[in-house]
Amino acid sequence: MKDKKMITLIVVIVLLLFGLSFARSKAPKPVDWSPTFINSKTGPYGTYITYQLLSDIFDKKNIRVTRMPVYNNLNKNVGEYLTYDDSYSYEDNDYSDTYEESTVSDYPDYETDSTTGHIEEQVGINSTPELEYDPTSWYADLDNISDTTSYIFINTSFTLDKLDMEYMLDFVGLGNNVFISAETIDRKLMDTLKIKTDAKYFQTDTVYNLTDHSAKKYSFGSIQGQVKFNTDSCKLSVRPLAFNNKKDTVFIDVKYGKGHIYLHSVPSAFANVNMLQTGKYDFGFRCLSYLPKNSKIIWDEYQKQGSLGEGSDFKVMLNNPPLRVALYVILIGFLLFMLFRSKRIQRAIPIIKPPVNSSLEFLGTISNLYYRKKDFNTILAKRHAYFLDYIRKHYYMPTENIDNEFVNVLSAKSGMNKEKLSELFHIYKDLSTLAFIETQPFLRYNNLLEEFYRTVKNK
């Protein structure tokens, strides 16, 4: 009774789990507000629209998506022009100093020209202090590249390791471009460029405007915080391209060697939620328009999704709600099965094989032994004794007196020819008196005896 109740309970639980799985699979999917910036995500903070419309700015055949690190993508590109020394330490160069995070007071004051509406620094719009030297001037001695490439990163945070940064900077120095839109940019890169950043957290939507299109205002919300750039310590040529309503620089163009590094701190401008709004969608595309139109485009997904094929099938199942529920149902059912089966299963009973009747094998062995010794007398006596015993047991006939009447009755009961039966008994009578039996007479007796058994068996 208890077993039936337990089985019923398990069945009910499994059915409830399957019902829950079915209900979850049919329920409307909740809106995913996580800031993934993945080009295949259609949620509010995916970049599906931006990526699909990228072909409106650049040639579609020149756009490719990568899910490999920077080094893997640029190794061949940069290696055609530069050779690297394994003993070289990038941290020993002149622009790897570290800086403390700047504060709002580190920034220069900005003024707005009432006649043009442009935001200007006190020293003049887009002005850059006169440089004592250009730390990237050595790139000028290298050959010009045939086709420029632009590397686009759009994410909440942008990170690089030492080797990736080395190749990326050389990639830009040769004449290519890198566009980085992130609220958190790798400290090693910012220290190398000698650009400081500062962030204000828990801020509401902020109004932004582009230097080249200052008449239009754009309002965006941040993911983590509002980030601004301070380029006072930068020894490179820097051009501010966008500001917020507090006159903080949020988009800059850094001239590095023959190429440009575009640093953008408002990645939410490229999110689907803003691309769907007519008053906001053109901000992101105006920022991307600074990249050369005929440039090849590398769209990075590695920093958001990892390498292609990274993880396992379980990762795919866990990322899909219906598959995730199905997986949980299977695991729970398996655990319940193992739990109850381990308590109820009976220990295996060993199989005991019955004794094997080896009488016939033994008889065959003895017969072969006699036959090899050609002891036909013994074989004849034993076979005839077995033959008479067979007659007594199966036909209930006495065998003390073998005469014609006996042969006639045995022939009728067994179905064997009477003449052959008479011959069988006469051969035995003749052979039994001999001290040594020849092979041919014995074989004749044996053949007649075997024919008797075949006749009896087939009757």
Side-chain angles (χ1 to χ4, degrees), residues 141-397:
D141 299 331
L142 301 176
D143 297 334
N144 293 328
I145 59 177
S146 55
D147 296 322
T148 61
T149 303
S150 298
Y151 211 139
I152 299 177
F153 300 87
I154 299 176
N155 199 6
T156 306
S157 60
F158 173 79
T159 58
L160 284 174
D161 61 22
K162 174 185 171 182
L163 185 63
D164 286 343
M165 186 175 70
E166 180 179 352
Y167 272 80
M168 191 188 77
L169 291 178
D170 287 337
F171 168 76
V172 177
L174 291 170
N176 299 292
N177 304 281
V178 170
F179 184 95
I180 303 171
S181 180
E183 294 184 1
T184 305
I185 301 178
D186 192 273
R187 184 62 180 270
K188 296 187 295 295
L189 175 62
M190 302 305 288
D191 289 344
T192 300
L193 300 177
K194 294 188 177 180
I195 297 176
K196 301 177 183 180
T197 60
D198 185 34
K200 290 184 179 180
Y201 299 99
F202 308 108
Q203 299 291 315
T204 57
D205 289 0
T206 302
V207 177
Y208 301 92
N209 70 304
L210 295 165
T211 302
D212 296 336
H213 303 276
S214 58
K216 188 172 182 179
K217 309 297 181 181
Y218 303 89
S219 177
F220 299 107
S222 59
I223 304 300
Q224 297 175 347
Q226 298 176 11
V227 180
K228 54 185 178 182
F229 301 109
N230 183 354
T231 60
D232 290 346
S233 302
C234 183
K235 299 179 182 180
L236 304 171
S237 176
V238 180
R239 183 165 64 112
L241 299 176
F243 305 90
N244 61 17
N245 56 343
K246 297 180 181 178
K247 301 182 181 179
D248 300 325
T249 307
V250 296
F251 182 30
I252 58 176
D253 169 15
V254 181
K255 185 72 168 63
Y256 189 90
K258 297 181 180 180
H260 297 263
I261 300 176
Y262 296 92
L263 300 179
H264 188 276
S265 65
V266 195
S268 58
F270 300 96
N272 296 327
V273 66
N274 291 318
M275 283 293 170
L276 290 173
Q277 301 184 40
T278 55
K280 300 180 180 181
Y281 78 95
D282 60 324
F283 180 87
F285 287 106
R286 290 185 187 275
C287 293
L288 291 173
S289 65
Y290 287 99
L291 301 174
K293 185 176 182 180
N294 60 345
S295 175
K296 295 180 179 179
I297 301 298
I298 302 177
W299 177 283
D300 177 77
E301 287 292 317
Y302 172 76
Q303 297 210 15
K304 293 171 279 190
Q305 301 189 61
S307 299
L308 187 63
E310 187 177 87
S312 64
D313 294 337
F314 281 102
K315 183 177 180 180
V316 177
M317 296 179 71
L318 292 174
N319 289 335
N320 191 310
L323 293 179
R324 183 169 63 245
V325 174
L327 177 61
Y328 291 157
V329 170
I330 293 173
L331 292 177
I332 293 173
F334 181 74
L335 290 175
L336 290 174
F337 172 79
M338 293 297 295
L339 177 63
F340 291 102
R341 186 168 179 81
S342 63
K343 292 182 177 181
R344 302 298 300 173
I345 191 170
Q346 184 179 3
R347 185 177 61 180
I349 300 175
I351 300 175
I352 301 176
K353 295 182 179 180
V356 179
N357 185 2
S358 58
S359 301
L360 295 176
E361 295 180 3
F362 175 74
L363 181 60
T365 303
I366 298 300
S367 300
N368 288 331
L369 180 62
Y370 284 124
Y371 183 77
R372 288 176 184 176
K373 290 184 177 182
K374 297 195 180 294
D375 187 2
F376 297 132
N377 297 74
T378 304
I379 298 175
L380 177 68
K382 292 185 179 297
R383 292 217 65 182
H384 197 74
Y386 181 79
F387 172 54
L388 295 177
D389 182 68
Y390 183 87
I391 294 173
R392 289 191 295 269
K393 287 183 178 180
H394 288 79
Y395 301 116
Y396 307 102
M397 296 174 61

Side-chain angles (χ1 to χ4, degrees), residues 101-109 196 198 200 228 230 232 248:
E101 292 289 338
S102 60
T103 60
V104 179
S105 61
D106 294 329
Y107 290 84
D109 295 331
K196 301 177 183 180
D198 185 34
K200 290 184 179 180
K228 54 185 178 182
N230 183 354
D232 290 346
D248 300 325

Side-chain angles (χ1 to χ4, degrees), residues 60-112:
K60 186 175 182 179
K61 65 181 181 181
N62 290 335
I63 303 173
R64 72 179 179 93
V65 180
T66 179
R67 289 186 62 176
M68 296 188 296
V70 172
Y71 168 80
N72 297 66
N73 287 301
L74 304 184
N75 183 23
K76 182 178 179 180
N77 191 308
V78 177
E80 295 179 0
Y81 301 91
L82 297 176
T83 302
Y84 291 88
D85 183 3
D86 294 339
S87 62
Y88 171 73
S89 176
Y90 194 78
E91 296 177 350
D92 296 336
N93 62 25
D94 181 60
Y95 4 91
S96 61
D97 302 329
T98 57
Y99 298 90
E100 296 181 356
E101 292 289 338
S102 60
T103 60
V104 179
S105 61
D106 294 329
Y107 290 84
D109 295 331
Y110 298 94
E111 293 182 354
T112 303

